[in-house]
Each structure stands twice: as C-alpha cells, then as structure tokens.
Amino acid sequence: MHRKTLETTMTDREKAYKHLIDCEIHPSMQRIAIMQYLMTHHTHPTVDDVYKDLCPQLPTLSRTTVYNTLRMFSEKKAALMITIDDHRVCYDGNTEPHVHFYCKKCNKVYDMMDEEAPLNITKYIHGNLIEDTQLYYRGICSHCLEAEKQKAS
C-alpha cells in the first residue's frame, strides 16, 4: 500500500498519534485528544477554546494541562503557536509554512494558503540564528467588511 493511501485510511486519532510519535512526544490520552483537536479544527483555537471543547469528553482535563501541552507541542514543532498580541495566543495544527490573517474586528484568524510564506528553515542572517519564521497580516476580513457595507446601505 502506498504511503498516501495508508495515511488516508488512518483515523484522525491515529493521525494525531503518529504525528506525536514523529515529533518525539509521548502520546498520552490527553495529548492525543489535544493533537487530534488541532488537526481537525482549523479555527486557530486558544487554550480556552481547546479546554472548553474537550472538557465534556475528558472531564479530568485541566486548563493547565492544555496550556502546558500546547506549549510543548509548539516547542517540539508539532503545532504552531501564533502570538497575535499580549492577550491572544492561538494554535495551529498545520505546521506547513503558511500565512495567517488576523481580523481585528471579529478576532478570527484565517489561513491564507495562496500567499507566499516564509520557509521554516534554520539559518544564520547577519550572525543571528533564525529558528522559526511566521508571517501574519492584520486588518478587517472580507466577512466583516461585507457586514459593514450591508449596515451602511
């Protein structure tokens, strides 16, 4: 069976498990659930979003566990941590280089897959070791702009 075929027959839980193993993270039940959530919810959730959504399934889950797990995922390159500002940090299960757009009106983060993204490569620039690159735009999304236009007319 080809690798692509094998990956498409895997469940979301199995994909999350494999991703954790590939990133050298011990796959506990809670870590698998959090990784699976990130890989299936492309909404760029915050710690609170993940906690609130997973709590009904995992009643023993704590906010601290979610926080620490997401930080570790980021450190181990299993997920991206996107720091919007001092008050908003969100996470992305898609670690492929891509651009994000933050709408300052509705506070949503969108993937902009058609935009050229900086490569995630480790290199030196002017004597500085670059280990991570991210690009995101801020502004008002098309949905909010359309809503404003509808209000005005």
Side-chain angles (χ1 to χ4, degrees):
M1 194 181 292
H2 291 7
R3 181 180 184 159
K4 190 73 169 172
T5 308
L6 179 63
E7 286 180 10
T8 57
T9 60
M10 293 172 70
T11 66
D12 290 336
R13 183 174 174 76
E14 290 167 334
K15 288 177 188 175
Y17 178 90
K18 181 184 179 318
H19 186 64
L20 293 176
I21 294 294
D22 291 346
C23 292
E24 299 179 355
I25 297 171
H26 174 74
S28 69
M29 182 184 73
Q30 292 179 333
R31 289 176 181 171
I32 293 168
I34 294 169
M35 189 74 248
Q36 181 179 346
Y37 183 89
L38 285 181
M39 294 174 83
T40 57
H41 292 78
H42 305 284
T43 56
H44 307 91
T46 63
V47 169
D48 282 340
D49 295 332
V50 175
Y51 173 72
K52 287 175 190 169
D53 286 351
L54 288 181
C55 225
Q57 301 164 37
L58 301 168
T60 60
L61 187 67
S62 72
R63 212 177 238 101
T64 303
T65 298
V66 174
Y67 174 84
N68 290 335
T69 300
L70 290 172
R71 286 279 176 171
M72 188 225 341
F73 285 179
S74 174
E75 289 168 8
K76 297 271 196 171
K77 309 269 189 255
L80 295 178
M81 179 172 63
I82 306 164
T83 306
I84 301 300
D85 58 32
D86 291 343
H87 306 288
R88 182 166 169 93
V89 175
C90 54
Y91 294 86
D92 192 346
N94 180 357
T95 58
E96 295 298 315
H98 63 284
V99 176
H100 291 100
F101 176 84
Y102 170 70
C103 178
K104 58 187 183 180
K105 195 153 184 89
C106 66
N107 296 318
K108 290 184 181 174
V109 178
Y110 298 93
D111 289 327
M112 299 182 78
M113 301 310 272
D114 295 338
E115 290 292 311
E116 187 174 334
L119 297 177
N120 278 341
I121 55 173
T122 303
K123 68 178 185 175
Y124 286 90
I125 299 177
H126 304 292
N128 302 301
L129 175 62
I130 308 301
E131 296 180 320
D132 181 40
T133 56
Q134 290 186 22
L135 174 63
Y136 74 91
Y137 299 111
R138 287 179 194 236
I140 301 173
C141 72
S142 59
H143 305 288
C144 289
L145 286 172
E146 186 60 34
E148 283 181 5
K149 196 187 327 181
Q150 295 292 329
K151 249 187 186 173
S153 33

